Amino acid sequence: MNSVVLALIGVAMMVTGYALYSKFLARRVYRLEPAFATPAHEQRDGVDYVPTNKYVLWGHHFTSVAGAAPIVGPAVAVIWGWLPAFLWVTIGTVFFAGMHDLGALWASVRNKGRSMGSLSGNYIGPRGRNLFLVVIFLLLLMVNAAFAVVISNLLVSTPTAVIPTWGAILVALAVGQAIYRFKVSLPVVSVVGVVALYALILVGDRVPVVLPETILGLSDNSFWILVLFVYAGIASVLPVWLLLQPRDYINGLQLFIGLGILYGAVLISAPTVVAPALNTNLPEGTPNIVPLLFVTIACGAISGFHGMVSSGTSSKQLDKESDARFVGYFGAVGEGLLALGAIIATTAGFRTLADWEAVYSAFNSGGVAAFVTGGGSIINAGLGIPVSLSATILATMAVLFAATTMDTGVRLQRFVVQEAAELAGIRVGKGVSTVVVLVVALGLAFGAGADGSGGMVIWPLFGTTNQLLAGLTLSIVAVMLLRKGRPVLPVLVPLVFVLSMSVFALVVQIGTFYAAGNWLLLGMDLVILVAALWVIVEAGLAMAAARRAPAEETVTESARR
């Protein structure tokens, strides 16, 4: 199989999905109204609620949801062969992820910008809401703690990415001031910002930053993890227009250009996919493809974390409700393109099948390193960019994706802490809630691993929990649609499939964790499974009640007459 064919088919499917299916969802299912007063206007506070240009907001949404996971997941899942990963990413993006992200954004906008955890109380019930918040908190903890480890590992293994990673913060601050304070034209700001970022990549490639093995008694990895959490904590309480939003926007442009470089190199060099379509020579210990494929590739096909971003930050910045189609659905398409690029890089970026099998000698042996190595080889062959610079471009791309997700993740977890405290009758401010988030994440990172790598301890549950949360988010959207008398089948089919695979995976993992004697993960798995089953029952009852009740829109029309 030639990788060009794979790229063209995949891109065509996703672009067609945006052009046709997202338009159907916007008009017939969610019925987006340009005149609807969004929370960004009604609750404008200049910190979290800020009406935002849809292109800038798309940049924030896309880079926040597209962390390291759409690289890691596909780069691991190709061990079963490129065909299952390709089908799940393309079909999932069009019919699952885009619908989910757009639906979560619409649901939150229609409820004053409230998060999915908060909305679950209204649409599923108080018991379901409490358990929903538990699942959300654990997922965000996994994202924040694990992504800090992924970023620190990349900064240590690819020191040429250090300068562009931290220099991007200064560029973002300048972009925010240019857009909001000095009212500079967005195209001008975009061009200057992207040029500045790529200049930093060139500088970083020539001036690698290698830390000493020990700094203040900490290893280099531990030092970076600590710095990342301090930065994320500060970023999470700053006004979104000052750093988070412009950082995500300019990173989004740079990252899309990075994808353009990768796909352009594929078109020029046309490398052959050396990995098998279906791998019949699986290494010992590789789990069954069903259900593990559908939770290994979470981001890039459908992801519960997207619902958190849609309802946690993006809904508070949406200028017009009609912008939700571009921000939500096209944001998912952007991540799908990244996942597709990861599949191509990790299956066509090696010279021979033997070289590929040497990397994929065990389950979980692929990942970001395989993406950087394979993608760098393709870029070098297609565009003639030196291998070192190609690796720097891709490593920086991966770091910036993960860093922007971590920024948003800490802010979202702060919202969850505040919501949970409010339910308990306690009012907690931004500062205190942020400290709570950082203490818990750092406690996990350093308590379960003296070098700060403890954040990876609970990573095996990330994909399952993430997909489970996506299914639970869809249950809220389904209840809303049923209450309004809207078409619900486009939501119900993905809902049933995702929940079935997630629960199946949780059950399978119980056996795996028990056999390995991993009592922490076994206990967490059981907690998540019980909470999930309880919420699923509550959601089923809520959907049945909504189906029996008169449609809200019908009742409203009758009252008007």
Side-chain angles (χ1 to χ4, degrees), residues 207-479:
V207 188
V209 177
V210 181
L211 296 182
E213 290 186 7
T214 304
I215 305 174
L216 302 175
L218 298 172
S219 68
D220 47 3
N221 280 89
S222 301
F223 178 78
W224 280 132
I225 289 171
L226 191 60
V227 170
L228 284 164
F229 273 114
V230 171
Y231 159 73
I234 295 172
S236 73
V237 296
L238 292 176
V240 290
W241 65 267
L242 184 62
L243 176 59
L244 182 73
Q245 196 186 85
R247 172 179 164 85
D248 291 354
Y249 170 66
I250 205 68
N251 281 349
L253 291 179
Q254 186 268 140
L255 297 169
F256 229 63
I257 291 171
L259 281 177
I261 290 172
L262 178 59
Y263 279 104
V266 168
L267 291 176
I268 293 171
S269 63
T272 300
V273 176
V274 298
L278 293 171
N279 192 5
T280 56
N281 187 30
L282 291 171
E284 185 177 352
T286 302
N288 291 331
I289 189 171
V290 177
L292 266 297
L293 170 70
F294 303 103
V295 297
T296 300
I297 300 180
C299 301
I302 182 171
S303 165
F305 181 71
H306 291 205
M308 298 303 96
V309 176
S310 293
S311 64
T313 57
S314 299
S315 64
K316 297 174 176 61
Q317 302 171 59
L318 199 70
D319 184 32
K320 298 177 182 178
E321 190 180 58
S322 54
D323 291 346
R325 176 179 168 237
F326 180 78
V327 173
Y329 195 101
F330 195 63
V333 167
E335 187 178 65
L337 292 173
L338 175 60
L340 177 61
I343 291 171
I344 293 172
T346 54
T347 58
F350 299 89
R351 290 188 303 109
T352 65
L353 175 59
D355 290 342
W356 182 83
E357 288 180 335
V359 172
Y360 285 87
S361 57
F363 188 68
N364 272 333
S365 59
V368 175
F371 169 74
V372 172
T373 301
S377 174
I378 292 173
I379 291 174
N380 174 252
L383 301 177
I385 298 175
V387 173
S388 171
L389 181 56
S390 298
T392 300
I393 291 172
L394 293 180
T396 302
M397 189 166 78
V399 168
L400 292 181
F401 267 125
T404 50
T405 299
M406 190 177 169
D407 291 355
T408 304
V410 171
R411 184 179 287 259
L412 293 175
Q413 198 166 18
R414 185 247 294 175
F415 290 155
V416 172
V417 170
Q418 289 179 297
E419 287 177 3
E422 189 176 333
L423 292 174
I426 305 171
R427 187 173 182 82
V428 177
K430 289 188 296 184
V432 173
S433 57
T434 301
V435 170
V436 170
V437 170
L438 295 180
V439 167
V440 173
L442 285 169
L444 173 66
F446 288 95
D451 60 351
S453 63
M456 297 304 292
V457 170
I458 57 176
W459 184 254
L461 278 172
F462 166 75
T464 310
T465 309
N466 196 28
Q467 299 302 69
L468 183 64
L469 189 57
L472 298 179
T473 296
L474 289 178
S475 69
I476 294 174
V477 175
V479 172

